[in-house]
């Protein structure tokens, strides 16, 4: 994206820092998710134990934030790739807009999946 | 050198890549693949919203599909992407915050070594349940 239109205030530093923070959060969350789904699949893959687990608000918050943090980290990474190309401003802004809409839509869709339980 | 005027295919194929550039390329590829995957994952799990009355039916249909041997292999390969992106992500954090630039090559070799070991270990974890179940069925 041509930064001359945004001025030096938008250096991308907050996005860089958030990418590190959300990445570290995702490592912890992913280890938990993998233990549940692959190390103890009898618990992770059973409807009864999943329903019981999801009655605990902490598990619900865990999966809701997993959805948001995962989508943010992914799309922020894609945005980092897009920024490496020298694009016309209208094109990069269109991509950014599409990514934000896609991200919000899929976060809501993911929330609906979690809140089924 | 102007990238666009000098034959970018030549630049891409003859440029000498070191550990750091391979790490960068693999991090990008795995990152883009995982971003595509998380959207796919949410779409696939939206089947849970079917069967308004009998939630368990939708859940079990979903789990039967994802526990099939074909999907276990796919999930194992997915883990390779997750694993590389995780380990190299730790390497990036160390380079950025812990003066890791001084030993980033050694970190890259550590990432590859730990990655291969963890990949094989995860293969055992994923398939041991399947193998145990199959053997249990045979001897029932």
């Amino acid at each position: 994206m041509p930064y001359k239109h945004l001025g030096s205030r938008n250096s991308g530093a907050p996005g860089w820092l958030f990418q590190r923070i959300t990445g570290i959060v995702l490592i912890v969350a992913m280890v938990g998710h993998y233990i549940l789904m692959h190390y103890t699949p009898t618990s992770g893959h059973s409807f009864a134990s999943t329903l019981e687990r999801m009655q605990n608000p902490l598990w619900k918050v865990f999966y809701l934030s997993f959805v948001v943090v995962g989508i943010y980290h992914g799309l922020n990474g894609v945005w980092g790739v897009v920024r490496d190309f020298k694009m016309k401003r209208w094109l990069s802004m269109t991509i950014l807009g599409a990514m934000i809409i896609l991200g919000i839509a899929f976060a809501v869709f993911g929330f609906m999946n979690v809140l089924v339980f | 050198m102007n990238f666009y005027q000098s034959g970018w295919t030549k630049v891409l194929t003859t440029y000498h890549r070191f550990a750091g550039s391979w790490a960068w390329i693999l991090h990008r590829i795995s990152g883009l693949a995982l971003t595509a995957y998380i959207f796919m994952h949410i779409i696939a799990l939206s089947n849970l919203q079917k069967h308004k009355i009998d939630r368990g039916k939708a859940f079990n249909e979903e789990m039967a599909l994802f526990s099939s041997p074909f999907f276990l292999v796919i999930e194992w390969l997915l883990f390779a992407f997750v694993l590389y992106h995780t380990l190299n992500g730790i390497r990036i954090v160390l380079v950025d915050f812990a003066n890791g630039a001084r030993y980033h090559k050694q970190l890259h070799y550590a990432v590859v070594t730990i990655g291969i070991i963890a990949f094989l270990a995860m293969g055992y974890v994923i398939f041991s349940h399947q193998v145990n179940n199959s053997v249990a069925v045979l001897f029932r």
Side-chain angles (χ1 to χ4, degrees):
Chain A
M1 183 166 80
Y3 288 103
K4 61 182 176 182
H5 298 294
L6 290 171
S8 59
R9 250 187 296 176
N10 192 327
S11 64
W16 170 85
L17 182 62
F18 288 147
Q19 196 70 347
R20 268 82 193 142
I21 295 171
T22 51
I24 293 166
V25 170
L26 279 175
I27 292 174
V28 179
M30 202 63 91
V31 168
H33 190 63
Y34 262 88
I35 289 174
L36 184 62
M37 289 300 165
H38 289 296
Y39 192 69
T40 58
T42 41
S43 163
H45 291 183
S46 130
F47 180 67
S49 60
T50 304
L51 192 62
E52 192 190 335
R53 187 167 55 245
M54 282 306 209
Q55 301 314 306
N56 185 344
L58 284 178
W59 271 111
K60 231 165 212 171
V61 169
F62 171 80
Y63 272 111
L64 291 175
S65 42
F66 202 15
V67 167
V68 174
V69 174
I71 288 177
Y72 173 79
H73 188 86
L75 288 182
N76 200 19
V78 173
W79 178 234
V81 175
V82 171
R83 283 191 348 178
D84 275 1
F85 293 91
K86 194 178 173 187
M87 289 181 181
K88 292 272 186 269
R89 180 174 157 79
W90 67 266
L91 183 57
S92 57
M93 280 301 147
T94 309
I95 293 175
L96 181 63
M99 273 167 36
I100 291 173
I101 293 169
L102 199 72
I104 292 174
F106 270 85
V108 171
F109 209 37
F111 272 25
M112 285 159 70
N113 288 347
V114 175
L115 296 176
V116 156
F117 297 99
Chain B
M1 186 167 68
N2 190 321
F3 187 78
Y4 293 101
Q5 283 172 2
S6 61
W8 58 271
T9 45
K10 195 183 169 197
V11 175
L12 274 182
T13 49
T14 58
Y15 185 76
H16 194 147
R17 300 192 187 281
F18 298 96
S21 41
W22 279 118
W24 180 82
I25 291 168
L26 292 174
H27 200 76
R28 290 227 141 157
I29 293 173
S30 58
L32 291 173
L34 290 172
T35 307
Y37 173 75
I38 194 174
F39 290 120
M40 219 172 68
H41 196 46
I42 289 174
I43 292 173
L45 290 182
S46 68
N47 279 336
L48 296 177
Q49 298 171 25
K50 289 191 310 185
H51 302 301
K52 300 278 181 215
I53 310 297
D54 189 1
R55 294 292 189 203
K57 188 163 182 281
F59 188 94
N60 290 332
E61 280 173 4
E62 201 73 348
M63 280 306 167
L65 179 65
F66 295 137
S67 307
S68 65
F70 173 73
F71 267 92
L72 289 184
V73 173
I74 296 288
E75 280 164 9
W76 194 28
L77 294 179
L78 169 71
F79 179 67
F81 283 76
V82 172
L83 185 61
Y84 180 79
H85 203 79
T86 302
L87 292 175
N88 196 51
I90 294 172
R91 175 177 164 277
I92 289 173
V93 169
L94 290 175
V95 167
D96 284 351
F97 295 112
N99 214 2
R102 293 190 183 283
Y103 47 90
H104 79 95
K105 265 191 189 178
Q106 288 90 324
L107 281 175
H108 178 72
Y109 300 132
V111 163
V112 173
T113 312
I114 297 171
I116 290 172
I117 294 170
F119 180 65
L120 295 175
M122 181 53 91
Y124 175 74
V125 168
I126 288 180
F127 293 108
S128 59
H129 301 290
Q130 188 73 15
V131 171
N132 288 344
N133 289 344
S134 314
V135 172
V137 167
L138 282 179
F139 290 93
R140 194 162 50 183

